[in-house]
Amino acid sequence: MAAKMSAAELTQFMEQQFPQVNKEFVIEEVREMGVRIRLRVEEQHLRPGGTVSGPSMFALADVSIYLAILAMIGPKALAVTTNCSMDFMRKPEAGVDLISECTLLKLGRVLAVGDVLIYSEGKEAPVARASMTYSIPPK
């Protein structure tokens, strides 16, 4: 199944639908059933102890699955998260961007399931892993 939206089209969609957070995320790659997204880590993403906050990592995982789904089905702004399980495995470095590698495991008519691995840029071991389910609005 080929992607229906390119990185440029997804970026334009984010600019129009989510202008409040759009500049935080960079869509680096769109591939069949997956995407790579960068979170530009800035001061608002940090927590005490010199690390990136859990809510910021959740946002990256959530945006990654959302964009992977849209890349495959087209612009459906009302697709929503219905379930999430997230493991925080290592401390991400403050001031270093986070990179997500997202793969859709199932893309049905009503539900999509995907996995996301999140890395500190330049590191081989993931800092977090998320598994999410999304509900896709009916046509």
Side-chain angles (χ1 to χ4, degrees):
M1 172 186 255
K4 292 185 177 177
M5 293 182 77
S6 67
E9 290 168 327
L10 288 169
T11 299
Q12 184 178 28
F13 177 85
M14 287 292 287
E15 288 169 357
Q16 293 170 349
Q17 299 297 321
F18 299 99
Q20 67 275 27
V21 296
N22 151 53
K23 296 203 183 321
E24 295 181 26
F25 302 99
V26 177
I27 303 159
E28 294 193 340
E29 179 187 10
V30 173
R31 59 187 177 276
E32 184 176 342
M33 299 293 278
V35 295
R36 180 175 48 245
I37 308 294
R38 172 183 298 267
L39 172 65
R40 293 179 173 144
V41 174
E42 297 178 3
E43 188 173 342
Q44 72 266 20
H45 301 114
L46 303 181
R47 57 162 284 137
T51 187
V52 179
S53 71
S56 294
M57 287 187 277
F58 173 84
L60 176 57
D62 198 38
V63 164
S64 297
I65 296 274
Y66 182 68
L67 292 174
I69 293 167
L70 296 187
M72 298 308 296
I73 68 171
K76 308 275 186 198
L78 296 179
V80 295
T81 310
T82 59
N83 189 50
C84 175
S85 173
M86 192 154 186
D87 299 305
F88 301 96
M89 301 181 289
R90 292 172 185 82
K91 180 179 174 181
E93 294 180 41
V96 176
D97 286 355
L98 294 181
I99 309 294
S100 74
E101 290 289 346
C102 171
T103 303
L104 295 178
L105 305 173
K106 175 190 187 282
L107 182 58
R109 288 182 304 110
V110 179
L111 292 177
V113 178
D115 277 343
V116 180
L117 289 174
I118 297 175
Y119 299 87
S120 283
E121 184 174 32
K123 302 290 183 179
E124 287 188 32
V127 298
R129 181 197 69 84
S131 177
M132 293 186 162
T133 303
Y134 256 75
S135 175
I136 300 168
K139 292 182 179 183

